[in-house]
Amino acid sequence: MDRLRIDKWLWAARFFKTRSLAAEEIGKNRVQVNGDVAKASREVKVGDTVTMRLGSLSRVVRVRGISGQRGPAPVAQQLYEETPESLAAQAAAREQRRLGSEPALAIEQGRPTKRDRRELDGARRADWDNRWSASLEPDDNE
């Protein structure tokens, strides 16, 4: 076997969990083979360059082997070789996520956090204690 459909190869190389997911991503023009937008029936061979967009990250791999069966992850990793540029982009994205701010701190509306709830309750209690209330007790000025 020297050629295989791209959707089947992506599934066997464990980039996608099912062949239908691989075909769906190919249908959305998120997969290219040798710089050309691929269709699910496009055949890949050893030496082809496959570019795919997975989320916000673009991965570029070179086909090293062909397999029509989905095997264990160590075997699947032998089917491709990732380019150094792609590995560097992955490392940069990983570092950016690590240094990024806490997502919960960016929320300005919606359900309050536990800390927000405590601040709201404290503010309400302080506001309630300072309110004027009508009472039956005589005032000192009378």
Side-chain angles (χ1 to χ4, degrees):
M1 179 186 322
D2 58 339
R3 291 178 171 262
L4 187 67
R5 289 173 55 110
I6 183 70
D7 61 342
K8 195 166 187 179
W9 184 83
L10 288 170
W11 167 75
R14 292 182 166 263
F15 287 107
F16 297 100
K17 196 167 186 167
T18 64
R19 246 179 98 181
S20 61
L21 285 176
E24 186 177 313
E25 292 298 307
I26 292 168
K28 293 177 182 176
N29 295 334
R30 294 182 180 163
V31 178
Q32 298 176 350
V33 177
N34 296 329
D36 298 327
V37 175
K39 292 187 177 179
S41 61
R42 168 83 185 251
E43 291 185 338
V44 292
K45 61 186 183 313
V46 175
D48 283 348
T49 302
V50 178
T51 305
M52 63 198 107
R53 210 172 67 220
L54 301 172
S56 63
L57 189 65
S58 181
R59 294 182 72 177
V60 181
V61 297
R62 208 168 290 113
V63 178
R64 290 179 52 196
I66 301 291
S67 174
Q69 293 182 353
R70 186 178 170 102
V75 174
Q77 289 173 350
Q78 295 175 357
L79 296 178
Y80 63 91
E81 173 188 3
E82 196 149 4
T83 62
E85 296 85 18
S86 180
L87 290 172
Q90 274 186 325
R94 203 171 19 254
E95 185 68 16
Q96 184 67 29
R97 282 192 306 270
R98 189 180 73 81
L99 295 175
S101 64
E102 175 66 30
L105 297 176
I107 298 174
E108 294 182 10
Q109 291 184 342
R111 187 173 178 177
T113 62
K114 194 171 188 178
R115 177 182 288 166
D116 294 339
R117 173 59 60 199
R118 287 181 180 152
E119 289 173 0
L120 287 171
D121 288 345
R124 283 189 192 136
R125 264 189 246 113
D127 187 38
W128 182 257
D129 292 341
N130 294 335
R131 282 191 176 197
W132 173 85
S133 67
S135 64
L136 297 176
E137 299 175 11
D139 198 9
D140 293 337
N141 296 342
E142 290 181 11

